[in-house]
Amino acid sequence: MKQLSAEEFYSRMAARCSQREYCRSDVLRKAQEAGLSREDALSLANRLEAEGFIDENRYARAFAHDKTLYDHWGRLKTRQALAMRGISNSDIAEALAAIDEDEYSEIVRATMEAKARTLHADSPYALRQKLLRFAASRGFELNIVQQQTNISYGED
């Protein structure tokens, strides 16, 4: 495969950014994978950002929405994933605040009920522990899990 010039890669990334959201770190990674120098990659990312193809706030909102609605991720997991992509704390906070609270609560409830139907445990305590571990792996907050299910922490 022939190596793309910076201008060819810019055209390709501008087209991709028009189709779906990308963050700055995604563009930098793709540029370096394509063989562009670090300086060219930074210049390309700056240009895409200046022209509105990349918007970290818009990316964070779309990412949080999609991960919550389609993948049933909790806020904690989504926050961590966005932070790993280099998204600012203010953009992350704004994206998480944009998640509809009622919709989020329903996702937590439905996800936990579906998981509970698939689990087998020797005691209610063991079942509760399995469900809480599952909720933590999905990034759901303990207080919301407790509100939306019959799970409480500790003994009955």
Side-chain angles (χ1 to χ4, degrees), residues 26-146:
D26 288 342
V27 171
L28 291 173
R29 181 181 41 79
K30 288 183 179 297
Q32 289 183 321
E33 287 172 359
L36 270 64
S37 69
R38 179 80 177 150
E39 297 78 31
D40 284 345
L42 288 170
S43 174
L44 174 82
N46 290 338
R47 183 175 170 194
L48 288 167
E49 207 164 31
E51 294 176 2
F53 288 107
I54 298 174
D55 182 333
E56 302 257 307
N57 185 279
R58 190 176 64 214
Y59 174 84
R61 283 183 280 124
F63 185 93
H65 174 268
D66 290 353
K67 290 298 181 183
T68 301
L69 189 62
Y70 303 119
D71 295 338
H72 299 171
W73 282 16
R75 289 187 187 109
L76 301 174
K77 188 172 183 173
T78 302
R79 174 182 296 284
Q80 180 66 24
L82 287 168
M84 290 176 62
R85 286 170 172 76
I87 307 298
S88 72
N89 286 334
S90 62
D91 286 341
I92 293 172
E94 189 175 322
L96 294 176
I99 297 171
D100 180 72
E101 196 63 39
D102 293 334
E103 187 175 34
Y104 184 73
S105 294
E106 177 57 26
I107 287 169
V108 171
R109 187 197 59 72
T111 303
M112 296 305 294
E113 283 181 3
K115 183 63 176 177
R117 287 191 298 270
T118 68
L119 293 176
H120 303 286
D122 296 335
S123 69
Y125 178 79
L127 178 63
R128 201 170 26 252
Q129 295 307 305
K130 288 180 178 187
L131 283 171
L132 289 173
R133 279 192 298 275
F134 173 74
S137 75
R138 285 295 180 103
F140 295 132
E141 304 91 326
L142 179 61
N143 62 330
I144 294 176
V145 171
Q146 289 175 327

Side-chain angles (χ1 to χ4, degrees), residues 11-22 53 58:
S11 296
R12 182 172 286 177
M13 282 311 300
R16 283 186 176 177
C17 290
S18 296
Q19 295 170 348
R20 69 171 277 246
E21 296 295 338
Y22 284 90
F53 288 107
R58 190 176 64 214

